[in-house]
Amino acid sequence: MVEAVETMDGWCSLHDLRTIDWNAWKLASESEREAAISSFTKLVEKWDAVEEEKNGSHAMYTVVGQKADLIFMFLRPTMNELNELETEFNKSKFAEYLIPAHSYVSIVELAKYRERKDGVDPETLKGTQARLKPILPKWEHICFYPMDRRREGNDNWYVLEKDVRAELLYEHSKTGRKYAGKVKQFITGSIGLDDWEWGVTLFAHDPLEFKKIVYEMRFDEVSSRYGEFGEFFIGNLLKKEDIAKFLHV
Ligand code: 76R
């Protein structure tokens, strides 16, 4: 049957990208810069505490290239909490030196393409819950991009039988599993929430692995026939203790 797959949905996600207004930053006095850094560090400490309590998670990276300077990925149980976090960030002293570059709203998603032989609802499993409400890894690099499934002529994902889609995604997952330990992926669904259908967030120790996995997947039918891709963003881990060094002018 051509029907939607049931999804399991977890924490709400906001990818928040900011450009630093370096001119304003350099023109600011030493004490203003110190106050801005301290406001930022305090926010990070607050986010760390939320993560410690397992009520959310975040990732913080510096962007390579001119699309932005910072990329944050925030996870919270509700859109309201995400919005509160974003607003608090916007009101901070540090945000006076930031220019919004890009944002992406989605929800952590796992698809129920495969029924379990034992009849257990996967959503009730601890492992599934941990994937729906994940603590993001603090690996050295991040890669984020949005994507769609194509809907064009004979290449229309949305007219395929569910079984066929399940099989294509199974093939895709076999490619994915080859990168176990090298790439960690988080798929967030954004149909009805943002401009693309999914957000793909990958973490790796070696950024070359992003190029390898995305290239290899291009040959899987689910990507070669049915994948459409948006802008890619690449970042390097920014640790809390390195913030002052990164911002030093
Ligand atoms: O969730 C699972 O582990 C089950 C198998 C699986 C599904 C259903 C899976 C495994 N993915 C699924 C769904 Mn994926 N994934 C991507 C990209 O650049 C590209 O060509 C594609 C971007 C990567 C790199 C990736 C990695 N996956 C999806 C969906 C939703 C599709 C839908 O419902 O139509 C998208 C958009 C998508 C895209 N995937 C894996 C990986 C990896 C590494 C795995 C193996 C994970 C593991 O088993 O640990």
Side-chain angles (χ1 to χ4, degrees):
M1 257 218 311
V2 181
E3 58 179 337
V5 67
E6 215 185 308
T7 58
M8 297 181 277
D9 302 279
W11 277 343
C12 296
S13 164
L14 172 67
H15 290 77
D16 185 329
L17 290 98
R18 311 274 175 144
T19 297
I20 297 169
D21 184 345
W22 287 111
N23 284 338
W25 186 246
K26 281 192 211 159
L27 287 170
S29 68
E30 191 80 17
S31 68
E32 275 174 319
R33 280 197 296 264
E34 267 170 30
I37 291 173
S38 144
S39 75
F40 184 37
T41 311
K42 278 205 185 90
L43 279 178
V44 179
E45 280 164 2
K46 210 166 163 180
W47 303 335
D48 281 346
V50 173
E51 189 168 88
E52 199 72 31
E53 304 263 299
K54 299 203 165 47
N55 287 326
S57 185
H58 63 276
M60 180 165 77
Y61 289 75
T62 57
V63 173
V64 185
Q66 300 302 318
K67 291 170 184 165
D69 289 311
L70 294 165
I71 176 168
F72 300 88
M73 179 176 178
F74 297 114
L75 296 176
R76 288 295 181 271
T78 63
M79 286 291 173
N80 297 51
E81 283 157 285
L82 270 186
N83 205 195
E84 276 163 28
L85 180 162
E86 181 190 11
T87 307
E88 189 181 18
F89 189 12
N90 287 339
K91 287 179 184 168
S92 72
K93 182 88 190 146
F94 182 50
E96 290 173 23
Y97 304 94
L98 299 176
I99 302 158
H102 189 66
S103 70
Y104 202 79
V105 177
S106 53
I107 295 178
V108 179
E109 176 185 300
L110 294 171
K112 276 191 191 175
Y113 270 112
R114 294 184 161 259
E115 272 183 31
R116 288 170 59 96
K117 290 192 187 79
D118 58 11
V120 171
D121 178 357
E123 201 157 357
T124 61
L125 300 173
K126 241 181 144 179
T128 308
Q129 285 303 317
R131 290 182 64 194
L132 291 172
K133 299 164 187 172
I135 298 304
L136 297 170
K138 309 299 177 240
W139 288 12
E140 286 86 340
H141 304 279
I142 193 170
C143 170
F144 166 66
Y145 55 100
M147 66 177 291
D148 283 345
R149 291 283 176 231
R150 191 168 291 142
R151 236 177 290 126
E152 252 175 45
N154 288 328
D155 299 335
N156 187 338
W157 179 254
Y158 294 91
V159 299
L160 295 181
E161 300 274 333
K162 192 167 110 181
D163 289 356
V164 175
R165 301 195 320 267
E167 188 52 40
L168 289 172
L169 280 169
Y170 174 65
E171 287 304 314
H172 155 89
S173 74
K174 283 201 287 193
T175 305
R177 272 194 276 280
K178 288 196 226 162
Y179 290 84
K182 292 185 191 154
V183 175
K184 221 167 171 19
Q185 114 277 22
F186 295 86
I187 301 299
T188 53
S190 43
I191 294 183
L193 300 174
D194 215 320
D195 300 345
W196 295 77
E197 296 174 344
W198 286 275
V200 179
T201 309
L202 309 174
F203 295 90
H205 301 296
D206 179 353
L208 183 57
E209 298 298 339
F210 296 141
K211 184 168 170 293
K212 285 184 186 291
I213 191 172
V214 175
Y215 180 61
E216 193 174 350
M217 283 189 170
R218 289 289 153 105
F219 295 91
D220 290 334
E221 204 176 339
V222 74
S223 296
S224 63
R225 281 190 75 179
Y226 302 106
E228 303 260 10
F229 301 89
E231 244 187 323
F232 282 67
F233 298 93
I234 296 292
N236 299 339
L237 183 68
L238 177 61
K239 293 186 186 147
K240 187 171 56 189
E241 55 272 27
D242 293 336
I243 290 173
K245 193 172 101 199
F246 171 66
L247 290 171
H248 180 75
V249 285

